[in-house]
Amino acid sequence: MDMDIDSPADSNFRSPRHRILQRLRLQGVPQEHLEQLEPGLVAYVKENKSRIPELVSAILPTDEEVVEVYKEGNASSENDPIQKKKKASSEKGLESPILTERFRESMHLLQWLMFYDEPLNALNKLAKISTGQRGVCGSVWGHNDIAYRCRTCEHDPTCAICVPCFQNGNHKEHDYSVIYTGGGCCDCGDVTAWKREGFCSKHKGAEQIQPLPEKFAKSVGPALDALLVVWKNKLLLAENIRQEHRKGIGPVGEFKKAPNELTFVVVEMLTEFCQYCESLLSFISKRVFLSDGLLDSLVRAERYLNKSVTRKLHELLLKLLGEPVFKYEFAKVFLSYYPIVVNEAIKECNDSVFRAYPLLSTFSVQIFTVPTLTPRLVKEMNLLALLMGCLGDIFCSCAGEDGRLQNES
């Protein structure tokens, strides 16, 4: 295989895979390893684990490449009606289907670094190991999905379970009803929301979740940690660009595209992992909240990511909430963000802010109704003072000069 580095003019015609290999070669990965592609890269990583962060960054598209592909895609679609139609019908909210595929190519290689094996083969092995070990359902609902309330089993009126969990449980002579959801996730297996006797035959509680086998933990951990650091840095970049734009310092710019595309493919990959193995879901949840500053960035991401990408991100976070430690760490970050959105709604004098930033409405019910979590937040995070402060600010914003609430006619 000819792996010579081409001139910039020639590089435009190279495949995404070739560009990745070029960047890896510039990082000092030997030719003999690159010629073996994925197995060769795995062999190199096993011998050079300290270099994983550099290699993860090299595998991902550069910001310059993202801008280049985005501009080329816009130019070609404007001149070609067929391409324009394809772009319009592509995955909603993404900047460019071509760009998305480039990031997916990178994710594929990164999964090889995580599993030291063909990713699908490794995930199937994990699925077999964890058969029968599901602790919590956590199926995420959209709007107007069908679910069940059971007043006999629920801990509060906001709790519900999905149709399969209801059918696999014993609710004979219970006080139950069918509902249409407005979002959220299935509470089966979550002892903070549902009584144990109401669990279905497949979900027996979070304590049933087994640790990820050590072999996988040792290989997945370093590569995943490095990816999470890159993800956080891209999100911080997008937030800084947004803040500068709002101050009138400069345009949003094409460099905002990379955080959007990277978030989409990372969330897509992690969601797939969670579907294969609950032990891997639990492992991922711990790495996310242990990654310094990442959870803060994920909570604020709805302010600068596309709506469809934000929705997918929130679905992943809902899945991770099945892990009790993650739920607590998420709740702490959520509380720091809560007054920011409320104050913004006060300034705008309407509730459109809550529709623009749906994290509060999506997760409030997951945080404020949990009998084992809410008292802890009251004690450790001063939750009551925070909520009363927000309520006071709302009342003050609605008061007239006489200090009385204004009654709009």
Side-chain angles (χ1 to χ4, degrees):
M1 179 187 294
D2 179 11
M3 288 299 298
D4 291 337
I5 302 296
D6 298 288
S7 67
D10 293 332
S11 65
N12 291 333
F13 300 99
R14 293 298 183 181
S15 68
R17 173 62 63 92
H18 191 90
R19 289 181 179 229
I20 293 172
L21 294 177
Q22 284 181 312
R23 293 195 294 270
L24 290 171
R25 185 177 179 184
L26 288 173
Q27 287 292 327
V29 180
Q31 177 77 12
E32 57 268 24
H33 287 89
L34 295 178
E35 288 177 348
Q36 297 175 52
L37 299 178
E38 290 92 341
L41 189 57
V42 168
Y44 180 78
V45 166
K46 286 181 176 180
E47 298 168 0
N48 300 272
K49 293 181 180 179
S50 63
R51 301 209 58 212
I52 287 177
E54 304 162 52
L55 299 178
V56 168
S57 295
I59 288 171
L60 293 166
T62 64
D63 290 341
E64 292 75 14
E65 184 180 344
V66 169
V67 173
E68 174 191 325
V69 173
Y70 177 69
K71 287 182 175 179
E72 288 176 357
N74 275 352
S76 63
S77 64
E78 287 300 322
N79 297 326
D80 187 341
I82 296 177
Q83 290 298 321
K84 192 171 185 178
K85 187 175 181 181
K86 283 183 178 179
K87 184 180 178 182
S89 62
S90 66
E91 286 158 306
K92 210 171 180 181
L94 298 182
E95 305 295 350
S96 161
I98 296 175
L99 196 52
T100 303
E101 289 309 313
R102 292 205 177 188
F103 274 95
R104 281 174 173 157
E105 178 74 20
S106 296
M107 290 299 110
H108 177 73
L109 283 177
L110 290 178
Q111 288 179 56
W112 271 87
L113 298 193
M114 292 179 192
F115 296 116
Y116 294 169
D117 191 4
E118 198 282 320
L120 186 57
N121 183 43
L123 288 170
N124 283 328
K125 287 179 181 177
L126 281 171
K128 290 180 180 178
I129 292 173
S130 61
T131 299
Q133 294 181 359
R134 303 296 291 188
V136 180
C137 178
S139 294
V140 177
W141 295 314
H143 289 280
N144 292 321
D145 285 345
I146 294 176
Y148 280 87
R149 273 192 64 191
C150 180
R151 295 168 185 82
T152 309
C153 297
E154 67 191 23
H155 282 317
D156 69 74
T158 66
C159 302
I161 59 174
C162 66
V163 174
C165 286
F166 181 84
Q167 293 174 340
N168 288 320
N170 181 12
H171 298 276
K172 187 177 180 180
E173 298 183 0
H174 284 194
D175 181 12
Y176 62 83
S177 60
V178 176
I179 63 170
Y180 290 95
T181 67
C185 58
C186 177
D187 291 310
C188 187
D190 184 354
V191 72
T192 67
W194 209 253
K195 295 177 182 177
R196 287 189 180 276
E197 54 267 31
F199 291 172
C200 77
S201 58
K202 295 184 178 180
H203 305 112
K204 297 302 180 183
E207 66 276 7
Q208 298 296 318
I209 302 174
Q210 300 298 311
L212 190 68
E214 187 176 1
K215 169 190 171 184
F216 288 100
K218 285 184 175 180
S219 64
V220 173
L224 178 59
D225 289 345
L227 175 60
L228 295 180
V229 169
V230 174
W231 190 17
K232 180 198 70 175
N233 290 338
K234 295 296 183 188
L235 292 174
L236 288 174
L237 171 65
E239 186 170 17
N240 291 336
I241 290 172
R242 175 182 178 273
Q243 290 174 350
E244 290 179 1
H245 178 64
R246 294 185 72 180
K247 293 176 182 176
I249 296 176
V252 174
E254 286 83 1
F255 284 108
K256 189 180 173 183
K257 314 304 178 188
N260 204 67
E261 297 288 347
L262 179 60
T263 298
F264 178 82
V265 294
V266 171
V267 168
E268 182 180 60
M269 179 187 74
L270 296 181
T271 301
E272 182 183 19
F273 286 178
C274 293
Q275 291 171 347
Y276 274 90
C277 176
E278 202 167 28
S279 298
L280 189 53
L281 183 155
S282 179
F283 183 82
I284 290 168
S285 74
K286 290 182 175 66
R287 308 310 273 215
V288 169
F289 74 72
L290 288 173
S291 184
D292 186 36
L294 176 60
L295 208 47
D296 296 82
S297 293
L298 295 180
V299 165
R300 298 193 305 269
E302 65 177 358
R303 306 177 76 79
Y304 44 84
L305 293 180
N306 287 348
K307 288 183 179 179
S308 61
V309 177
T310 296
R311 185 171 60 253
K312 293 295 183 184
L313 172 60
H314 288 177
E315 289 176 1
L316 173 65
L317 292 173
L318 281 169
K319 283 185 175 294
L320 298 181
L321 284 183
E323 172 59 49
V325 179
F326 179 87
K327 181 177 281 190
Y328 175 67
E329 296 298 329
F330 177 86
K332 291 193 294 185
V333 177
F334 177 82
L335 292 187
S336 68
Y337 179 64
Y338 191 92
I340 295 173
V341 178
V342 171
N343 289 331
E344 195 162 327
I346 292 172
K347 290 179 183 177
E348 295 292 333
C349 295
N350 62 61
D351 61 0
S352 62
V353 171
F354 298 112
R355 291 191 293 273
Y357 305 138
L359 185 126
L360 259 62
S361 58
T362 300
F363 289 91
S364 289
V365 69
Q366 307 293 332
I367 304 299
F368 296 148
T369 63
V370 182
T372 56
L373 176 62
T374 308
R376 186 178 178 187
L377 295 175
V378 169
K379 182 179 180 181
E380 298 179 10
M381 300 297 295
N382 211 7
L383 173 60
L384 283 180
L386 183 148
L387 294 178
M388 293 304 293
C390 288
L391 186 60
D393 291 341
I394 293 171
F395 283 160
C396 288
S397 71
C398 298
E401 294 181 359
D402 59 359
R404 295 183 178 184
L405 294 179
Q406 301 300 298
N407 183 21
E408 294 185 5
S409 56

Coordinates of all heavy atoms in Angstrom, one line a residue, residues 23-95:
R23 N -3.0 11.0 9.1 CA -2.8 11.7 10.4 C -2.1 10.8 11.4 O -1.3 11.2 12.2 CB -4.1 12.2 10.9 CG -4.8 13.3 10.1 CD -5.9 13.9 10.8 NE -7.1 13.1 11.1 CZ -8.1 12.9 10.3 NH1 -8.1 13.6 9.1 NH2 -9.1 12.1 10.6
L24 N -2.4 9.5 11.3 CA -1.8 8.5 12.2 C -0.3 8.4 11.9 O 0.6 8.3 12.8 CB -2.5 7.2 12.1 CG -3.9 7.1 12.8 CD1 -4.5 5.8 12.4 CD2 -3.8 7.3 14.3
R25 N 0.0 8.4 10.6 CA 1.4 8.4 10.2 C 2.2 9.6 10.7 O 3.3 9.5 11.2 CB 1.6 8.2 8.7 CG 3.0 8.0 8.2 CD 3.1 7.9 6.8 NE 4.5 7.7 6.4 CZ 4.9 7.6 5.1 NH1 4.0 7.7 4.1 NH2 6.1 7.4 4.8
L26 N 1.5 10.7 10.7 CA 2.2 12.0 11.2 C 2.4 11.9 12.7 O 3.3 12.5 13.2 CB 1.3 13.2 10.8 CG 1.3 13.6 9.3 CD1 0.3 14.7 9.1 CD2 2.7 14.1 8.9
Q27 N 1.6 11.1 13.3 CA 1.7 10.8 14.8 C 2.8 9.8 15.1 O 3.1 9.5 16.3 CB 0.4 10.4 15.4 CG -0.6 11.5 15.5 CD -0.2 12.6 16.5 OE1 0.4 12.3 17.5 NE2 -0.6 13.8 16.2
G28 N 3.4 9.2 14.1 CA 4.5 8.3 14.3 C 4.1 6.8 14.3 O 4.9 6.0 14.7
V29 N 2.9 6.5 13.9 CA 2.5 5.1 13.8 C 3.2 4.5 12.7 O 3.1 4.9 11.5 CB 1.0 4.9 13.6 CG1 0.6 3.5 13.6 CG2 0.2 5.6 14.8
P30 N 4.0 3.4 12.9 CA 4.8 2.8 11.8 C 4.0 2.3 10.6 O 2.8 1.9 10.8 CB 5.5 1.6 12.5 CG 5.5 2.0 14.0 CD 4.2 2.7 14.2
Q31 N 4.7 2.3 9.5 CA 4.0 1.9 8.2 C 3.5 0.5 8.3 O 2.4 0.2 7.8 CB 5.1 2.0 7.1 CG 4.6 1.5 5.7 CD 3.7 2.6 5.1 OE1 3.7 3.7 5.5 NE2 3.1 2.2 4.0
E32 N 4.2 -0.5 8.9 CA 3.8 -1.8 9.0 C 2.5 -2.0 9.8 O 1.7 -2.9 9.5 CB 4.9 -2.8 9.6 CG 5.4 -2.4 11.0 CD 6.6 -1.5 11.0 OE1 6.7 -0.7 10.0 OE2 7.3 -1.5 12.0
H33 N 2.3 -1.2 10.7 CA 1.0 -1.3 11.5 C -0.1 -0.7 10.7 O -1.2 -1.2 10.7 CB 1.1 -0.5 12.8 CG 2.0 -1.2 13.8 ND1 3.3 -1.0 14.0 CD2 1.6 -2.1 14.8 CE1 3.8 -1.8 14.9 NE2 2.8 -2.5 15.5
L34 N 0.1 0.4 10.0 CA -0.9 1.1 9.2 C -1.3 0.1 8.0 O -2.5 0.1 7.6 CB -0.4 2.4 8.6 CG -0.1 3.5 9.7 CD1 0.4 4.7 9.0 CD2 -1.4 3.8 10.5
E35 N -0.4 -0.6 7.5 CA -0.7 -1.5 6.4 C -1.7 -2.6 6.8 O -2.5 -3.1 6.0 CB 0.5 -2.1 5.8 CG 1.4 -1.1 5.0 CD 2.7 -1.7 4.5 OE1 3.0 -2.8 4.9 OE2 3.3 -1.1 3.7
Q36 N -1.7 -2.9 8.1 CA -2.6 -4.0 8.6 C -4.0 -3.4 9.0 O -4.8 -4.1 9.5 CB -2.0 -4.7 9.8 CG -0.7 -5.4 9.4 CD 0.0 -6.0 10.7 OE1 -0.7 -6.7 11.4 NE2 1.2 -5.7 10.9
L37 N -4.1 -2.1 8.8 CA -5.4 -1.4 9.2 C -5.7 -1.6 10.6 O -4.9 -1.5 11.5 CB -6.5 -1.8 8.2 CG -6.2 -1.4 6.7 CD1 -7.3 -1.9 5.9 CD2 -6.0 0.0 6.5
E38 N -7.0 -2.0 10.9 CA -7.5 -2.1 12.3 C -6.6 -3.0 13.2 O -6.2 -2.6 14.3 CB -9.0 -2.5 12.3 CG -9.9 -1.5 11.8 CD -10.2 -1.6 10.4 OE1 -9.4 -2.3 9.7 OE2 -11.2 -1.1 9.9
P39 N -6.4 -4.2 12.8 CA -5.5 -5.1 13.6 C -4.2 -4.5 13.9 O -3.6 -4.7 15.0 CB -5.5 -6.4 12.8 CG -6.7 -6.4 12.0 CD -6.9 -5.0 11.6
G40 N -3.6 -3.9 12.9 CA -2.3 -3.3 13.1 C -2.3 -2.1 14.1 O -1.4 -2.0 14.9
L41 N -3.4 -1.3 14.0 CA -3.5 -0.2 14.9 C -3.7 -0.7 16.3 O -3.2 -0.2 17.3 CB -4.7 0.7 14.5 CG -4.9 2.0 15.2 CD1 -3.6 2.8 15.1 CD2 -6.1 2.8 14.7
V42 N -4.5 -1.8 16.5 CA -4.7 -2.4 17.8 C -3.4 -2.9 18.4 O -3.1 -2.7 19.6 CB -5.7 -3.5 17.7 CG1 -5.7 -4.4 19.0 CG2 -7.1 -3.0 17.5
A43 N -2.6 -3.6 17.6 CA -1.3 -4.1 18.0 C -0.4 -2.9 18.5 O 0.3 -3.0 19.5 CB -0.6 -4.8 16.9
Y44 N -0.4 -1.8 17.7 CA 0.4 -0.6 18.1 C -0.1 -0.1 19.4 O 0.7 0.3 20.3 CB 0.3 0.4 17.0 CG 1.2 1.6 17.3 CD1 2.5 1.6 17.2 CD2 0.6 2.8 17.8 CE1 3.3 2.8 17.5 CE2 1.3 3.9 18.1 CZ 2.7 3.9 17.9 OH 3.4 5.0 18.2
V45 N -1.4 0.0 19.6 CA -1.9 0.6 20.8 C -1.6 -0.2 22.1 O -1.3 0.3 23.1 CB -3.5 0.8 20.7 CG1 -4.1 1.1 22.1 CG2 -3.8 1.9 19.8
K46 N -1.6 -1.6 21.9 CA -1.3 -2.4 23.0 C 0.1 -2.2 23.5 O 0.4 -2.4 24.7 CB -1.5 -3.9 22.6 CG -2.9 -4.3 22.5 CD -3.0 -5.8 22.1 CE -4.5 -6.3 22.1 NZ -4.6 -7.7 21.7
E47 N 1.0 -1.8 22.6 CA 2.4 -1.6 22.9 C 2.7 -0.2 23.3 O 3.7 0.2 23.9 CB 3.3 -1.9 21.7 CG 3.2 -3.4 21.3 CD 3.9 -3.6 19.9 OE1 4.4 -2.6 19.3 OE2 3.9 -4.8 19.4
N48 N 1.7 0.7 23.1 CA 1.9 2.2 23.3 C 0.7 2.8 23.9 O 0.1 3.8 23.4 CB 2.3 2.9 22.0 CG 3.5 2.4 21.4 OD1 4.6 2.8 21.7 ND2 3.4 1.4 20.5
K49 N 0.2 2.3 25.1 CA -1.0 2.7 25.7 C -1.0 4.2 26.1 O -2.0 4.8 26.1 CB -1.4 1.8 26.8 CG -1.7 0.4 26.4 CD -2.1 -0.5 27.6 CE -2.4 -1.9 27.1 NZ -2.8 -2.8 28.3
S50 N 0.2 4.7 26.4 CA 0.3 6.1 26.8 C 0.0 7.0 25.7 O -0.3 8.2 26.0 CB 1.7 6.4 27.4 OG 2.7 6.2 26.4
R51 N 0.0 6.6 24.5 CA -0.3 7.4 23.3 C -1.7 7.4 22.9 O -2.1 8.1 21.9 CB 0.6 7.0 22.1 CG 2.1 7.0 22.4 CD 2.9 7.3 21.2 NE 2.5 8.5 20.5 CZ 2.5 8.7 19.2 NH1 2.9 7.8 18.4 NH2 2.2 9.9 18.7
I52 N -2.6 6.8 23.6 CA -4.0 6.7 23.2 C -4.7 8.0 23.0 O -5.3 8.3 22.0 CB -4.8 5.8 24.2 CG1 -4.4 4.3 24.0 CG2 -6.3 6.0 24.0 CD1 -5.1 3.4 25.0
P53 N -4.5 9.0 23.9 CA -5.1 10.3 23.7 C -4.7 11.0 22.4 O -5.6 11.5 21.7 CB -4.6 11.1 24.9 CG -4.4 10.1 26.0 CD -3.8 8.9 25.3
E54 N -3.4 10.9 22.0 CA -3.0 11.5 20.8 C -3.6 10.8 19.6 O -4.0 11.4 18.6 CB -1.4 11.4 20.7 CG -0.7 12.0 21.8 CD 0.7 11.5 21.9 OE1 1.4 11.6 20.9 OE2 1.2 11.1 23.0
L55 N -3.7 9.5 19.7 CA -4.2 8.7 18.6 C -5.7 8.9 18.4 O -6.2 9.0 17.2 CB -3.9 7.2 18.8 CG -2.4 6.8 18.9 CD1 -2.2 5.3 19.2 CD2 -1.6 7.2 17.6
V56 N -6.4 9.0 19.5 CA -7.8 9.3 19.4 C -8.1 10.6 18.7 O -8.9 10.7 17.8 CB -8.5 9.3 20.8 CG1 -9.9 9.9 20.7 CG2 -8.5 7.9 21.4
S57 N -7.3 11.6 19.0 CA -7.5 12.9 18.4 C -7.1 12.9 16.9 O -7.8 13.5 16.1 CB -6.6 14.0 19.1 OG -7.0 14.2 20.4
A58 N -6.1 12.1 16.6 CA -5.7 11.9 15.2 C -6.7 11.2 14.3 O -6.9 11.5 13.2 CB -4.3 11.2 15.1
I59 N -7.4 10.3 14.9 CA -8.4 9.5 14.2 C -9.7 10.3 13.9 O -10.3 10.2 12.8 CB -8.8 8.2 15.0 CG1 -7.7 7.2 15.0 CG2 -10.1 7.6 14.5 CD1 -7.9 6.1 16.0
L60 N -10.0 11.3 14.7 CA -11.1 12.1 14.5 C -10.8 13.2 13.4 O -9.7 13.7 13.3 CB -11.6 12.8 15.8 CG -12.1 11.9 16.9 CD1 -12.2 12.6 18.2 CD2 -13.5 11.4 16.5
P61 N -11.8 13.6 12.6 CA -11.6 14.7 11.6 C -11.2 15.9 12.3 O -11.6 16.3 13.4 CB -13.0 14.8 11.0 CG -13.7 13.5 11.2 CD -13.2 13.0 12.5
T62 N -10.3 16.7 11.6 CA -9.8 18.0 12.2 C -10.9 19.0 11.9 O -11.8 18.9 11.1 CB -8.5 18.4 11.5 OG1 -8.8 18.6 10.1 CG2 -7.4 17.3 11.6
D63 N -10.8 20.1 12.7 CA -11.8 21.2 12.5 C -11.7 21.7 11.0 O -12.7 22.1 10.4 CB -11.5 22.3 13.5 CG -11.9 22.0 14.9 OD1 -12.7 21.0 15.0 OD2 -11.4 22.6 15.8
E64 N -10.4 21.8 10.5 CA -10.2 22.3 9.2 C -10.9 21.4 8.1 O -11.5 21.9 7.2 CB -8.7 22.4 8.8 CG -8.0 23.5 9.6 CD -7.8 23.1 11.1 OE1 -7.9 21.9 11.4 OE2 -7.4 24.0 11.9
E65 N -10.8 20.1 8.4 CA -11.5 19.1 7.4 C -13.0 19.3 7.5 O -13.7 19.2 6.5 CB -11.1 17.7 7.8 CG -11.6 16.6 6.9 CD -11.2 15.2 7.2 OE1 -10.2 15.1 8.0 OE2 -11.8 14.3 6.7
V66 N -13.5 19.5 8.7 CA -15.0 19.7 8.8 C -15.4 20.9 8.0 O -16.4 20.8 7.3 CB -15.3 19.8 10.3 CG1 -16.8 20.3 10.5 CG2 -15.1 18.5 11.1
V67 N -14.7 22.0 8.2 CA -15.1 23.2 7.4 C -15.0 23.0 5.9 O -15.9 23.4 5.2 CB -14.2 24.4 7.9 CG1 -14.4 25.6 7.0 CG2 -14.4 24.7 9.3
E68 N -13.9 22.3 5.5 CA -13.7 22.0 4.1 C -14.9 21.2 3.5 O -15.4 21.5 2.5 CB -12.4 21.3 3.9 CG -12.1 20.8 2.5 CD -10.9 19.9 2.5 OE1 -10.0 20.1 3.3 OE2 -11.0 18.9 1.7
V69 N -15.2 20.1 4.2 CA -16.3 19.2 3.7 C -17.6 20.0 3.7 O -18.4 19.8 2.8 CB -16.4 18.0 4.6 CG1 -17.6 17.1 4.2 CG2 -15.1 17.1 4.5
Y70 N -17.9 20.7 4.7 CA -19.1 21.5 4.8 C -19.3 22.5 3.7 O -20.3 22.5 3.0 CB -19.2 22.2 6.2 CG -20.5 23.0 6.3 CD1 -21.7 22.5 6.5 CD2 -20.4 24.4 6.3 CE1 -22.8 23.2 6.6 CE2 -21.5 25.2 6.5 CZ -22.7 24.6 6.6 OH -23.9 25.4 6.8
K71 N -18.2 23.2 3.4 CA -18.3 24.2 2.3 C -18.4 23.5 0.9 O -19.2 23.9 0.1 CB -17.0 25.0 2.3 CG -17.0 26.0 3.4 CD -15.7 26.9 3.4 CE -15.7 28.0 4.5 NZ -14.5 28.8 4.4
E72 N -17.7 22.4 0.8 CA -17.8 21.6 -0.5 C -19.2 21.1 -0.7 O -19.7 21.1 -1.8 CB -16.8 20.5 -0.5 CG -15.3 21.0 -0.7 CD -14.3 19.8 -0.6 OE1 -14.8 18.6 -0.4 OE2 -13.1 20.0 -0.8
G73 N -19.8 20.6 0.4 CA -21.1 20.0 0.3 C -22.1 21.1 0.0 O -23.1 20.8 -0.8
N74 N -22.0 22.2 0.6 CA -22.9 23.3 0.3 C -22.8 23.8 -1.2 O -23.8 24.0 -1.9 CB -22.6 24.5 1.2 CG -23.3 24.4 2.5 OD1 -24.2 23.5 2.7 ND2 -23.0 25.3 3.4
A75 N -21.6 23.8 -1.7 CA -21.4 24.3 -3.0 C -22.0 23.3 -4.0 O -22.6 23.6 -5.0 CB -19.9 24.5 -3.3
S76 N -21.7 22.0 -3.8 CA -22.2 20.9 -4.7 C -23.7 20.8 -4.7 O -24.3 20.6 -5.7 CB -21.5 19.6 -4.4 OG -21.9 19.2 -3.1
S77 N -24.3 21.0 -3.5 CA -25.7 20.8 -3.4 C -26.5 22.0 -4.1 O -27.6 21.9 -4.6 CB -26.2 20.7 -2.0 OG -25.9 21.9 -1.2
E78 N -25.8 23.2 -4.0 CA -26.5 24.3 -4.7 C -26.5 24.2 -6.2 O -27.4 24.7 -6.9 CB -25.7 25.6 -4.2 CG -26.0 26.0 -2.8 CD -27.4 26.3 -2.5 OE1 -28.1 26.9 -3.4 OE2 -27.9 26.0 -1.4
N79 N -25.4 23.6 -6.7 CA -25.3 23.4 -8.2 C -26.0 22.2 -8.7 O -26.2 22.0 -9.9 CB -23.8 23.4 -8.6 CG -23.1 24.7 -8.2 OD1 -23.7 25.8 -8.3 ND2 -21.9 24.6 -7.8
D80 N -26.3 21.2 -7.8 CA -26.9 20.0 -8.2 C -28.3 19.8 -7.5 O -28.3 19.5 -6.3 CB -26.0 18.8 -7.9 CG -26.5 17.5 -8.5 OD1 -27.7 17.4 -8.8 OD2 -25.6 16.6 -8.5
P81 N -29.4 19.9 -8.2 CA -30.7 19.8 -7.6 C -30.9 18.4 -6.9 O -31.6 18.3 -5.9 CB -31.7 19.9 -8.8 CG -30.9 20.7 -9.8 CD -29.5 20.2 -9.7
I82 N -30.3 17.3 -7.5 CA -30.5 16.0 -6.9 C -29.8 16.0 -5.5 O -30.3 15.5 -4.5 CB -29.9 14.9 -7.8 CG1 -30.8 14.9 -9.1 CG2 -30.0 13.6 -7.1 CD1 -30.3 13.9 -10.1
Q83 N -28.5 16.5 -5.5 CA -27.8 16.5 -4.2 C -28.5 17.4 -3.2 O -28.5 17.1 -2.0 CB -26.4 17.0 -4.5 CG -25.5 16.1 -5.2 CD -25.3 14.7 -4.5 OE1 -25.2 14.7 -3.3 NE2 -25.3 13.6 -5.2
K84 N -29.1 18.5 -3.7 CA -29.8 19.4 -2.8 C -31.0 18.7 -2.1 O -31.2 18.8 -0.9 CB -30.3 20.6 -3.6 CG -30.8 21.8 -2.7 CD -31.0 23.0 -3.5 CE -31.4 24.2 -2.6 NZ -31.6 25.4 -3.4
K85 N -31.7 17.9 -2.9 CA -32.8 17.1 -2.4 C -32.4 16.1 -1.4 O -33.0 15.9 -0.4 CB -33.6 16.5 -3.6 CG -34.9 15.8 -3.1 CD -35.6 15.3 -4.3 CE -36.9 14.6 -3.9 NZ -37.7 14.1 -5.1
K86 N -31.2 15.4 -1.7 CA -30.7 14.4 -0.8 C -30.3 15.0 0.5 O -30.6 14.5 1.6 CB -29.5 13.7 -1.4 CG -29.8 12.7 -2.5 CD -28.5 12.0 -3.0 CE -28.8 11.0 -4.0 NZ -27.6 10.3 -4.5
K87 N -29.7 16.2 0.5 CA -29.3 16.9 1.7 C -30.5 17.2 2.5 O -30.5 17.1 3.8 CB -28.5 18.1 1.3 CG -27.9 18.8 2.6 CD -27.1 20.0 2.2 CE -26.6 20.8 3.4 NZ -25.9 22.0 3.1
A88 N -31.5 17.7 1.9 CA -32.8 18.1 2.6 C -33.4 16.9 3.3 O -34.0 17.1 4.3 CB -33.7 18.8 1.6
S89 N -33.3 15.7 2.7 CA -34.0 14.5 3.2 C -33.0 13.7 4.1 O -33.4 12.6 4.6 CB -34.5 13.7 2.1 OG -33.4 13.2 1.3
S90 N -31.8 14.2 4.3 CA -30.8 13.5 5.1 C -31.2 13.6 6.6 O -32.2 14.2 7.0 CB -29.4 14.0 4.9 OG -29.3 15.3 5.4
E91 N -30.4 12.9 7.5 CA -30.7 12.9 8.9 C -30.9 14.3 9.4 O -30.0 15.2 9.3 CB -29.6 12.2 9.6 CG -29.6 10.7 9.4 CD -28.3 10.1 9.7 OE1 -27.3 10.5 9.1 OE2 -28.2 9.1 10.5
K92 N -32.0 14.6 9.9 CA -32.4 16.0 10.3 C -31.5 16.5 11.3 O -31.2 15.9 12.3 CB -33.9 15.9 10.8 CG -34.6 17.2 10.5 CD -36.1 17.0 10.9 CE -36.8 18.3 10.6 NZ -38.2 18.1 10.9
G93 N -31.1 17.8 11.1 CA -30.3 18.4 12.1 C -28.8 18.3 11.9 O -28.0 19.0 12.6
L94 N -28.4 17.5 11.0 CA -26.9 17.3 10.8 C -26.5 18.3 9.7 O -27.3 18.6 8.8 CB -26.6 15.9 10.4 CG -27.0 14.9 11.5 CD1 -26.6 13.5 11.0 CD2 -26.3 15.2 12.8
E95 N -25.2 18.7 9.7 CA -24.7 19.7 8.8 C -24.5 19.1 7.4 O -24.7 19.7 6.4 CB -23.4 20.2 9.3 CG -23.5 20.8 10.8 CD -24.4 22.0 10.9 OE1 -24.8 22.5 9.8 OE2 -24.7 22.4 12.0

